[in-house]
Amino acid sequence: MSVDRDQYALVTLTRSDFDICTDHQYLVMECDSLLLACQPLWQSITYGDWCGQAGFEPENKTLTYDAAAQQLLVQLDDERFTVPLEPPA
């Protein structure tokens, strides 16, 4: 999604040992308009099976922009997180 001249995306980082252990972490990435330089703005806790222990992976994952509050909204199932944005320089 584009906000001002920057690009924002909700990405999934998946780690697996190719056996039974797989987990996921979600990051909001901010990139310049050409997608040449990116940096993480926010990261979630780790979700997944933790090698058979408690945990889950959210089924619904969304990233939206609240222009009035100048923030991004991350929705992971029933959990909601806000990511404040710096005003444009």
Side-chain angles (χ1 to χ4, degrees), residues 25-46:
Q25 192 171 32
Y26 301 93
L27 295 92
V28 172
M29 300 296 292
E30 174 185 39
C31 300
D32 64 15
S33 60
L34 299 176
L35 302 176
L36 296 174
C38 298
Q39 65 180 356
L41 289 182
W42 174 87
Q43 65 185 29
S44 72
I45 62 169
T46 300

Side-chain angles (χ1 to χ4, degrees), residues 11-22:
V11 299
T12 305
L13 175 63
T14 301
R15 292 178 289 260
S16 177
D17 66 0
F18 303 104
D19 190 14
I20 61 169
C21 301
T22 301

